[in-house]
Amino acid sequence: MTVVIPPIISAAGGVGKTTLSLMLSYVLPPNYRVLLIDMDPTAGLTLRMLGDLTYQRLLSERRTLMDMIRDDEHGNVDIRNYIIYGRQVKSYDDEIKLYPQFNEVAVLSPGEGFDEFFAENQNMDVGKMVWKVLHRGGGIDGLFDVAIVDTAPFFDKRYTLIALYGVGRAVVVLRPTLTDTNRTNTMINKIAGLFRKMDERIPIFTLVFNFDPNKYVIEAKTLSDALKVQRIDIEENSGRPVSMSIAGRARKVDEMLRRNLETLVKLNDSIIDCFNYVLPPHNVRFGDESFPQDNHAIADRRISDDDRAMLQFTLSNLINRFGIKLNLDYDIVTE
């Protein structure tokens, strides 16, 4: 079976790439063998999952992606010697705790020294080199069903381009703001130009908006009008998922933002599609700093069934675009 590789990219930092990577691994069925590849040189996903001490141990033991690439120069390597398994997530007090609801996943941390590596190989196709190492001898194809790639923002395009090598589709996380839409449009056009120059197939970019519609009211109304994006809620009595408007009570839209959104999609309609739903807002425990850690304001310190269901139904359509079908109890109802 060929491993499914959904890279998570963005034009700006702090939009929720790492959070979405964790969300996707969280809702995949337990029988899926999942690898999280941390391709951000800051090691944000690794530090969030495993904490500082564990990352330092991986560095000292030479169990990182960078070490794997270096070792491959001297002969074939086995990815199992470089990954770490667990369902651990760093808590607020920087201790490591186990979360039973979180599926066990493998993590491949980035390691250090990527700048030197890029400098040494500036005349070579680094993306092809990295993925050749990951796939060699069965590699990730033989061990995993899904490899989710978390990347650095496009400010340093090298990591984004490596993540996109050879894939058919990528997820682009952004917020509905003028700055984010402008940066995203610039990023996609640059990537498309570079891929055409290399005579490589341009991936499809699926836009995923991550923000709280209750806080960004005008932006939510504008996004709803321009691209028909909605949100998922769970009916209190039935537990059924309901597709609801994000427009709220706002009476006006931001016309400049509306033009940006429509331009972003229409001018790139052959390589861009838009995800139907916003990610669950931060006030339901899936925010950048809390997911999937326990919320200290919640007595049972666990993610509720409704929260989990809302996340599953929200992401089911996104996961399906990569050929993975979630078996859900209900179809989504449109109000």
Side-chain angles (χ1 to χ4, degrees), residues 13-272:
V15 295
K17 292 187 304 300
T18 299
T19 295
L20 180 57
S21 298
L22 290 170
M23 284 178 171
L24 289 171
S25 64
Y26 183 72
V27 301
L28 283 168
N31 60 307
Y32 274 81
R33 300 168 299 172
V34 179
L35 171 65
L36 287 169
I37 301 178
D38 190 349
M39 212 168 278
D40 183 341
T42 66
L45 184 146
T46 301
L47 292 170
R48 179 125 160 235
M49 285 286 291
L50 304 171
D52 191 37
L53 291 176
T54 302
Y55 182 50
Q56 291 303 311
R57 177 166 62 85
L58 292 172
L59 290 173
S60 67
E61 295 174 356
R62 304 190 71 260
R63 295 174 58 193
T64 70
L65 174 58
M66 190 71 260
D67 294 315
M68 185 178 176
I69 294 168
R70 293 293 192 191
D71 291 348
D72 187 72
E73 297 171 0
H74 308 291
N76 288 351
V77 293
D78 188 334
I79 192 174
R80 287 172 291 190
N81 295 328
Y82 300 89
I83 58 178
I84 183 169
Y85 281 92
R87 53 184 179 218
Q88 302 171 321
V89 179
K90 181 162 63 73
S91 68
Y92 287 100
D93 54 9
D94 210 33
E95 293 180 356
I96 299 299
K97 297 183 179 180
L98 288 174
Y99 293 86
Q101 293 171 292
F102 195 81
N103 297 330
E104 183 172 73
V105 297
V107 179
L108 180 59
S109 63
E112 306 292 318
F114 269 95
D115 281 340
E116 292 85 350
F117 174 70
F118 286 130
E120 294 166 11
N121 299 280
Q122 55 185 327
N123 296 320
M124 298 182 66
D125 189 335
V126 177
K128 183 176 181 179
M129 180 190 304
V130 170
W131 286 104
K132 186 177 181 180
V133 172
L134 289 168
H135 285 290
R136 183 173 289 148
I140 59 175
D141 298 281
L143 293 173
F144 302 102
D145 303 305
V146 182
I148 300 170
V149 185
D150 188 34
T151 62
F154 193 68
F155 294 129
D156 190 335
K157 64 185 179 184
R158 298 172 298 183
Y159 301 96
T160 302
L161 294 175
I162 291 175
L164 291 174
Y165 182 83
V167 303
R169 181 183 294 273
V171 175
V172 181
V173 187
L174 71 160
R175 306 197 193 282
T177 64
L178 292 172
T179 299
D180 258 22
T181 51
N182 282 332
R183 286 175 175 171
T184 300
N185 190 40
T186 299
M187 176 186 73
I188 290 174
N189 286 325
K190 285 184 176 180
I191 291 171
L194 288 168
F195 272 61
R196 291 189 187 101
K197 186 177 180 180
M198 296 185 296
D199 199 27
E200 295 282 351
R201 181 183 63 171
I202 302 170
I204 301 297
F205 299 97
T206 298
L207 305 181
V208 176
F209 288 91
N210 181 30
F211 72 109
D212 187 346
N214 297 315
K215 293 181 180 179
Y216 298 90
V217 178
I218 294 178
E219 291 86 348
K221 168 69 173 173
T222 306
L223 181 61
S224 175
D225 285 9
L227 300 181
K228 313 304 179 188
V229 173
Q230 299 181 299
R231 67 180 177 88
I232 294 291
D233 205 348
I234 304 297
E235 286 185 333
E236 185 174 346
N237 295 326
S238 69
R240 294 178 64 89
V242 180
S243 177
M244 302 181 68
S245 172
I246 61 172
R249 298 181 180 179
R251 296 183 179 181
K252 63 178 182 178
V253 300
D254 183 326
E255 290 296 341
M256 189 177 295
L257 176 59
R258 180 180 183 135
R259 287 194 297 271
N260 268 25
L261 290 165
E262 292 174 345
T263 299
L264 173 63
V265 174
K266 290 179 180 177
L267 289 184
N268 303 284
D269 63 348
S270 62
I271 57 173
I272 282 184

Side-chain angles (χ1 to χ4, degrees), residues 293-321:
Q293 302 164 20
D294 49 4
N295 186 321
H296 291 292
I298 306 299
D300 63 3
R301 302 170 72 86
R302 291 173 64 87
I303 296 171
S304 73
D305 290 340
D306 279 356
D307 286 344
R308 182 178 175 88
M310 180 161 48
L311 185 62
Q312 285 180 324
F313 285 111
T314 299
L315 294 180
S316 61
N317 183 264
L318 179 62
I319 291 173
N320 189 50
R321 297 182 191 207

